[in-house]
Amino acid sequence: MRKIRFILSFLFVASVLSCSGQKYITATGARIGSNHLGLSLQQRVLKQTTIESIITMNSSEARLTALLEQHQKILGRRLNIYLGVGAHVGAKNKIGTLYGVDGILGLEYKMMLSRLNLSFDFQPAYHINSEDGFNIRSGITLRKVLIKDNFFKKRKRKRQRAKKKKKD
C-alpha cells in the first residue's frame, strides 16, 4: 500500500509542476551510477518536456528505461531541475525478464562555452515481477548537445534571407 501511495504521490507532483525549459533539443552521453554504467539519449518534444532513454548494465542486470521529463529553470538559465515518470524493461540473472515503473528527480547544468551538460539524479523504480520490489538508483550523466535550441531558428532565418535576396 505504501508503494502505491508513493507512486501516486510522485505522479501527482509530476503533473502539477509548472516548468520552463532547457537550451538544447537533442543530447546524448554516458551515465555512471553507484552500481551501474550506461548510455543516455534525451530528446526535447515540447518546450519544457523531454523523452529520455537510458540503457544501463551491471554484472547482474541490463535495463532499458524510457522517461517523460518536465524541466524547470532555477538559479539562471543554465541550471534546471527535472522530474519525470516512465517504465523499464530488462533482464536480471536470477529472475529473467524484469519490468516496472520508474520516476526520476534530478538537477542538470549546461556548461558555459561548451556543448556539454552534467546531470545528477535519483531514479526510484518499482519492479512489478520481482521480489526486489522497490529500489532507488542515483547517477551522474555527462551529455554532449547534438542539436542546440536555436538550430532551427537559424535555418529559418537563413532561408528567409535567401528568399529576400531572390526578390531583390
Side-chain angles (χ1 to χ4, degrees):
M1 187 66 182
R2 283 182 19 185
K3 292 176 187 176
I4 292 171
R5 203 175 306 149
F6 173 78
I7 291 169
L8 291 175
S9 298
F10 187 81
L11 291 172
F12 176 75
V13 170
S15 66
V16 170
L17 186 66
S18 67
C19 302
S20 59
Q22 62 195 108
K23 294 292 179 192
Y24 61 89
I25 295 173
T26 305
T28 188
R31 178 178 175 83
I32 300 171
S34 55
N35 66 349
H36 64 278
L37 295 174
L39 299 172
S40 168
L41 174 66
Q42 201 170 51
Q43 175 69 43
R44 189 171 76 192
V45 291
L46 296 171
K47 190 172 183 178
Q48 303 88 15
T49 306
T50 60
I51 293 176
E52 183 174 10
S53 298
I54 303 171
I55 298 171
T56 56
M57 291 180 225
N58 63 25
S59 60
S60 64
E61 179 182 338
R63 188 188 305 183
L64 171 64
T65 306
L67 298 157
L68 183 66
E69 301 169 349
Q70 291 287 312
H71 294 252
Q72 170 70 44
K73 289 184 208 176
I74 57 172
L75 300 175
R77 61 188 185 130
R78 298 197 178 278
L79 186 63
N80 291 329
I81 187 169
Y82 59 93
L83 181 67
V85 295
H88 67 270
V89 64
K92 194 164 185 173
N93 286 349
K94 297 178 182 176
I95 297 170
T97 303
L98 179 72
Y99 57 91
V101 293
D102 290 76
I104 194 163
L105 173 65
L107 282 172
E108 175 182 75
Y109 178 70
K110 170 77 174 70
M111 295 180 194
M112 276 194 233
L113 304 174
S114 76
R115 296 187 99 173
L116 298 176
N117 74 44
L118 184 65
S119 68
F120 174 74
D121 59 62
F122 292 99
Q123 188 179 355
Y126 177 70
H127 309 296
I128 294 170
N129 66 331
S130 169
E131 293 175 5
D132 295 346
F134 180 78
N135 71 357
I136 298 177
R137 295 171 132 185
S138 60
I140 296 173
T141 306
L142 180 64
R143 293 186 198 91
K144 179 175 177 29
V145 174
L146 301 176
I147 301 174
K148 287 184 176 183
D149 184 38
N150 59 3
F151 176 77
F152 294 107
K153 292 175 191 173
K154 284 181 180 179
R155 288 181 66 185
K156 186 177 178 180
R157 281 190 300 240
K158 198 174 189 180
R159 276 187 258 136
Q160 287 173 341
R161 279 190 233 127
K163 281 183 183 180
K164 191 174 179 180
K165 280 186 178 183
K166 270 188 175 180
K167 286 181 182 179
D168 294 341

Short mmCIF file of all heavy atoms in Angstrom, two decimals, residues 121-153:
data_model
loop_
_atom_site.label_atom_id
_atom_site.label_comp_id
_atom_site.label_asym_id
_atom_site.label_seq_id
_atom_site.Cartn_x
_atom_site.Cartn_y
_atom_site.Cartn_z
N ASP A 121 20.93 12.66 -10.72
CA ASP A 121 19.52 12.35 -10.46
C ASP A 121 19.34 11.14 -9.55
O ASP A 121 20.26 10.35 -9.35
CB ASP A 121 18.77 12.12 -11.77
CG ASP A 121 19.34 10.98 -12.59
OD1 ASP A 121 19.34 9.83 -12.12
OD2 ASP A 121 19.78 11.25 -13.72
N PHE A 122 18.13 11.07 -9.01
CA PHE A 122 17.65 9.90 -8.26
C PHE A 122 16.56 9.27 -9.10
O PHE A 122 15.70 9.98 -9.63
CB PHE A 122 17.09 10.32 -6.90
CG PHE A 122 18.13 10.83 -5.96
CD1 PHE A 122 18.30 12.19 -5.80
CD2 PHE A 122 18.94 9.95 -5.26
CE1 PHE A 122 19.27 12.68 -4.94
CE2 PHE A 122 19.91 10.43 -4.40
CZ PHE A 122 20.07 11.80 -4.24
N GLN A 123 16.61 7.95 -9.22
CA GLN A 123 15.66 7.24 -10.07
C GLN A 123 15.01 6.10 -9.29
O GLN A 123 15.49 4.98 -9.30
CB GLN A 123 16.39 6.72 -11.30
CG GLN A 123 15.51 6.14 -12.35
CD GLN A 123 16.31 5.65 -13.54
OE1 GLN A 123 17.51 5.82 -13.63
NE2 GLN A 123 15.61 5.01 -14.46
N PRO A 124 13.87 6.37 -8.61
CA PRO A 124 13.17 5.29 -7.93
C PRO A 124 12.49 4.38 -8.95
O PRO A 124 12.00 4.85 -9.98
CB PRO A 124 12.14 6.02 -7.06
CG PRO A 124 11.96 7.33 -7.70
CD PRO A 124 13.24 7.66 -8.40
N ALA A 125 12.49 3.09 -8.67
CA ALA A 125 11.86 2.12 -9.58
C ALA A 125 11.12 1.07 -8.77
O ALA A 125 11.59 0.62 -7.72
CB ALA A 125 12.93 1.46 -10.45
N TYR A 126 9.97 0.68 -9.29
CA TYR A 126 9.21 -0.42 -8.70
C TYR A 126 9.15 -1.54 -9.73
O TYR A 126 8.63 -1.38 -10.83
CB TYR A 126 7.79 0.03 -8.34
CG TYR A 126 6.97 -1.11 -7.79
CD1 TYR A 126 7.24 -1.63 -6.53
CD2 TYR A 126 5.94 -1.67 -8.53
CE1 TYR A 126 6.51 -2.69 -6.03
CE2 TYR A 126 5.21 -2.72 -8.03
CZ TYR A 126 5.50 -3.23 -6.78
OH TYR A 126 4.78 -4.28 -6.29
N HIS A 127 9.74 -2.69 -9.38
CA HIS A 127 9.77 -3.85 -10.26
C HIS A 127 8.50 -4.67 -10.02
O HIS A 127 8.30 -5.22 -8.93
CB HIS A 127 11.00 -4.72 -10.00
CG HIS A 127 12.28 -3.94 -9.98
ND1 HIS A 127 12.76 -3.28 -11.09
CD2 HIS A 127 13.16 -3.70 -8.99
CE1 HIS A 127 13.89 -2.69 -10.78
NE2 HIS A 127 14.15 -2.92 -9.51
N ILE A 128 7.67 -4.77 -11.03
CA ILE A 128 6.38 -5.45 -10.89
C ILE A 128 6.55 -6.95 -10.70
O ILE A 128 5.84 -7.55 -9.90
CB ILE A 128 5.49 -5.13 -12.11
CG1 ILE A 128 5.16 -3.63 -12.10
CG2 ILE A 128 4.22 -5.96 -12.11
CD1 ILE A 128 4.50 -3.12 -13.34
N ASN A 129 7.48 -7.55 -11.36
CA ASN A 129 7.61 -9.01 -11.32
C ASN A 129 8.87 -9.49 -10.59
O ASN A 129 9.45 -10.49 -10.95
CB ASN A 129 7.61 -9.57 -12.74
CG ASN A 129 8.83 -9.15 -13.53
OD1 ASN A 129 9.39 -8.10 -13.29
ND2 ASN A 129 9.23 -9.98 -14.46
N SER A 130 9.28 -8.79 -9.56
CA SER A 130 10.50 -9.16 -8.86
C SER A 130 10.30 -9.10 -7.36
O SER A 130 9.53 -8.28 -6.85
CB SER A 130 11.62 -8.21 -9.27
OG SER A 130 12.74 -8.36 -8.43
N GLU A 131 11.02 -9.96 -6.64
CA GLU A 131 10.99 -9.91 -5.18
C GLU A 131 11.71 -8.66 -4.66
O GLU A 131 11.46 -8.23 -3.55
CB GLU A 131 11.66 -11.16 -4.61
CG GLU A 131 10.89 -12.43 -4.88
CD GLU A 131 11.65 -13.66 -4.41
OE1 GLU A 131 12.73 -13.51 -3.80
OE2 GLU A 131 11.17 -14.76 -4.67
N ASP A 132 12.61 -8.12 -5.47
CA ASP A 132 13.33 -6.90 -5.08
C ASP A 132 12.35 -5.76 -4.85
O ASP A 132 12.59 -4.89 -4.02
CB ASP A 132 14.34 -6.49 -6.15
CG ASP A 132 15.45 -7.50 -6.30
OD1 ASP A 132 15.59 -8.37 -5.42
OD2 ASP A 132 16.19 -7.42 -7.30
N GLY A 133 11.26 -5.73 -5.60
CA GLY A 133 10.23 -4.71 -5.44
C GLY A 133 10.72 -3.32 -5.77
O GLY A 133 10.86 -2.95 -6.92
N PHE A 134 11.01 -2.53 -4.76
CA PHE A 134 11.32 -1.11 -4.90
C PHE A 134 12.80 -0.85 -4.66
O PHE A 134 13.38 -1.39 -3.73
CB PHE A 134 10.47 -0.33 -3.89
CG PHE A 134 10.68 1.14 -3.92
CD1 PHE A 134 10.08 1.91 -4.91
CD2 PHE A 134 11.46 1.76 -2.97
CE1 PHE A 134 10.27 3.29 -4.94
CE2 PHE A 134 11.65 3.13 -2.99
CZ PHE A 134 11.05 3.89 -3.98
N ASN A 135 13.40 -0.04 -5.52
CA ASN A 135 14.77 0.41 -5.25
C ASN A 135 14.97 1.82 -5.80
O ASN A 135 14.18 2.30 -6.60
CB ASN A 135 15.82 -0.55 -5.81
CG ASN A 135 15.91 -0.54 -7.31
OD1 ASN A 135 15.18 0.13 -8.00
ND2 ASN A 135 16.83 -1.32 -7.85
N ILE A 136 15.99 2.49 -5.33
CA ILE A 136 16.33 3.83 -5.79
C ILE A 136 17.77 3.82 -6.27
O ILE A 136 18.67 3.44 -5.53
CB ILE A 136 16.17 4.89 -4.67
CG1 ILE A 136 14.73 4.95 -4.22
CG2 ILE A 136 16.63 6.26 -5.18
CD1 ILE A 136 14.48 5.91 -3.07
N ARG A 137 17.96 4.22 -7.51
CA ARG A 137 19.30 4.37 -8.07
C ARG A 137 19.61 5.86 -8.16
O ARG A 137 18.72 6.69 -8.28
CB ARG A 137 19.36 3.81 -9.49
CG ARG A 137 19.15 2.34 -9.58
CD ARG A 137 19.02 1.96 -11.02
NE ARG A 137 19.86 0.83 -11.32
CZ ARG A 137 20.04 0.34 -12.52
NH1 ARG A 137 19.45 0.88 -13.55
NH2 ARG A 137 20.81 -0.70 -12.71
N SER A 138 20.88 6.16 -8.15
CA SER A 138 21.30 7.53 -8.42
C SER A 138 22.39 7.46 -9.48
O SER A 138 23.04 6.43 -9.65
CB SER A 138 21.81 8.20 -7.15
OG SER A 138 22.90 7.50 -6.63
N GLY A 139 22.57 8.56 -10.19
CA GLY A 139 23.57 8.55 -11.23
C GLY A 139 23.98 9.94 -11.66
O GLY A 139 23.27 10.91 -11.43
N ILE A 140 25.13 9.99 -12.30
CA ILE A 140 25.65 11.22 -12.90
C ILE A 140 25.76 10.95 -14.39
O ILE A 140 26.30 9.92 -14.81
CB ILE A 140 27.02 11.58 -12.32
CG1 ILE A 140 26.89 11.89 -10.83
CG2 ILE A 140 27.62 12.76 -13.07
CD1 ILE A 140 28.20 12.10 -10.12
N THR A 141 25.23 11.88 -15.19
CA THR A 141 25.26 11.73 -16.64
C THR A 141 25.94 12.94 -17.26
O THR A 141 25.62 14.08 -16.94
CB THR A 141 23.83 11.61 -17.21
OG1 THR A 141 23.15 10.56 -16.54
CG2 THR A 141 23.85 11.31 -18.69
N LEU A 142 26.90 12.68 -18.13
CA LEU A 142 27.57 13.73 -18.90
C LEU A 142 27.11 13.58 -20.35
O LEU A 142 27.33 12.53 -20.96
CB LEU A 142 29.09 13.60 -18.81
CG LEU A 142 29.88 14.65 -19.58
CD1 LEU A 142 29.63 16.05 -19.01
CD2 LEU A 142 31.37 14.34 -19.56
N ARG A 143 26.42 14.60 -20.85
CA ARG A 143 25.86 14.55 -22.21
C ARG A 143 26.49 15.60 -23.10
O ARG A 143 26.80 16.69 -22.66
CB ARG A 143 24.35 14.80 -22.19
CG ARG A 143 23.56 13.74 -21.54
CD ARG A 143 22.06 14.03 -21.70
NE ARG A 143 21.32 13.28 -20.74
CZ ARG A 143 20.98 13.70 -19.53
NH1 ARG A 143 21.32 14.90 -19.13
NH2 ARG A 143 20.30 12.94 -18.72
N LYS A 144 26.59 15.27 -24.38
CA LYS A 144 27.01 16.23 -25.41
C LYS A 144 25.76 16.66 -26.15
O LYS A 144 24.95 15.84 -26.57
CB LYS A 144 27.99 15.60 -26.38
CG LYS A 144 28.43 16.56 -27.47
CD LYS A 144 29.49 15.92 -28.32
CE LYS A 144 29.96 16.67 -29.46
NZ LYS A 144 30.09 17.89 -29.75
N VAL A 145 25.58 17.97 -26.29
CA VAL A 145 24.43 18.51 -27.01
C VAL A 145 24.67 18.31 -28.51
O VAL A 145 25.66 18.78 -29.06
CB VAL A 145 24.24 20.00 -26.69
CG1 VAL A 145 23.14 20.60 -27.54
CG2 VAL A 145 23.94 20.18 -25.20
N LEU A 146 23.77 17.58 -29.15
CA LEU A 146 23.89 17.34 -30.59
C LEU A 146 23.19 18.41 -31.40
O LEU A 146 23.68 18.84 -32.44
CB LEU A 146 23.31 15.96 -30.94
CG LEU A 146 23.97 14.77 -30.24
CD1 LEU A 146 23.25 13.49 -30.60
CD2 LEU A 146 25.44 14.68 -30.58
N ILE A 147 22.01 18.84 -30.94
CA ILE A 147 21.25 19.88 -31.63
C ILE A 147 20.88 20.95 -30.61
O ILE A 147 20.15 20.67 -29.65
CB ILE A 147 19.99 19.32 -32.31
CG1 ILE A 147 20.36 18.23 -33.31
CG2 ILE A 147 19.20 20.44 -32.99
CD1 ILE A 147 19.17 17.52 -33.92
N LYS A 148 21.36 22.17 -30.81
CA LYS A 148 21.07 23.28 -29.90
C LYS A 148 19.66 23.80 -30.12
O LYS A 148 19.05 23.58 -31.16
CB LYS A 148 22.06 24.43 -30.12
CG LYS A 148 23.44 24.15 -29.61
CD LYS A 148 24.27 25.40 -29.79
CE LYS A 148 25.65 25.23 -29.22
NZ LYS A 148 26.43 26.47 -29.33
N ASP A 149 19.18 24.57 -29.15
CA ASP A 149 17.83 25.13 -29.18
C ASP A 149 17.61 26.05 -30.37
O ASP A 149 16.55 26.06 -30.97
CB ASP A 149 17.57 25.88 -27.87
CG ASP A 149 16.16 26.41 -27.79
OD1 ASP A 149 15.24 25.71 -28.25
OD2 ASP A 149 15.97 27.51 -27.27
N ASN A 150 18.61 26.81 -30.74
CA ASN A 150 18.44 27.80 -31.82
C ASN A 150 18.76 27.25 -33.21
O ASN A 150 18.74 27.99 -34.18
CB ASN A 150 19.29 29.03 -31.54
CG ASN A 150 20.76 28.71 -31.43
OD1 ASN A 150 21.17 27.57 -31.61
ND2 ASN A 150 21.56 29.71 -31.12
N PHE A 151 19.02 25.98 -33.35
CA PHE A 151 19.40 25.36 -34.62
C PHE A 151 18.36 25.63 -35.71
O PHE A 151 18.68 26.07 -36.80
CB PHE A 151 19.60 23.86 -34.42
CG PHE A 151 19.92 23.11 -35.68
CD1 PHE A 151 21.19 23.15 -36.23
CD2 PHE A 151 18.95 22.35 -36.32
CE1 PHE A 151 21.48 22.46 -37.39
CE2 PHE A 151 19.24 21.66 -37.48
CZ PHE A 151 20.50 21.72 -38.01
N PHE A 152 17.09 25.35 -35.42
CA PHE A 152 16.04 25.51 -36.42
C PHE A 152 15.71 26.97 -36.68
O PHE A 152 15.35 27.35 -37.78
CB PHE A 152 14.79 24.72 -36.01
CG PHE A 152 15.03 23.24 -36.00
CD1 PHE A 152 15.14 22.55 -34.81
CD2 PHE A 152 15.18 22.54 -37.18
CE1 PHE A 152 15.38 21.19 -34.80
CE2 PHE A 152 15.42 21.18 -37.19
CZ PHE A 152 15.52 20.50 -36.00
N LYS A 153 15.86 27.82 -35.66
CA LYS A 153 15.62 29.25 -35.84
C LYS A 153 16.64 29.83 -36.81
O LYS A 153 16.31 30.63 -37.68
CB LYS A 153 15.69 29.98 -34.50
CG LYS A 153 14.56 29.64 -33.57
CD LYS A 153 14.76 30.32 -32.22
CE LYS A 153 13.78 29.79 -31.21
NZ LYS A 153 14.05 30.30 -29.87
#
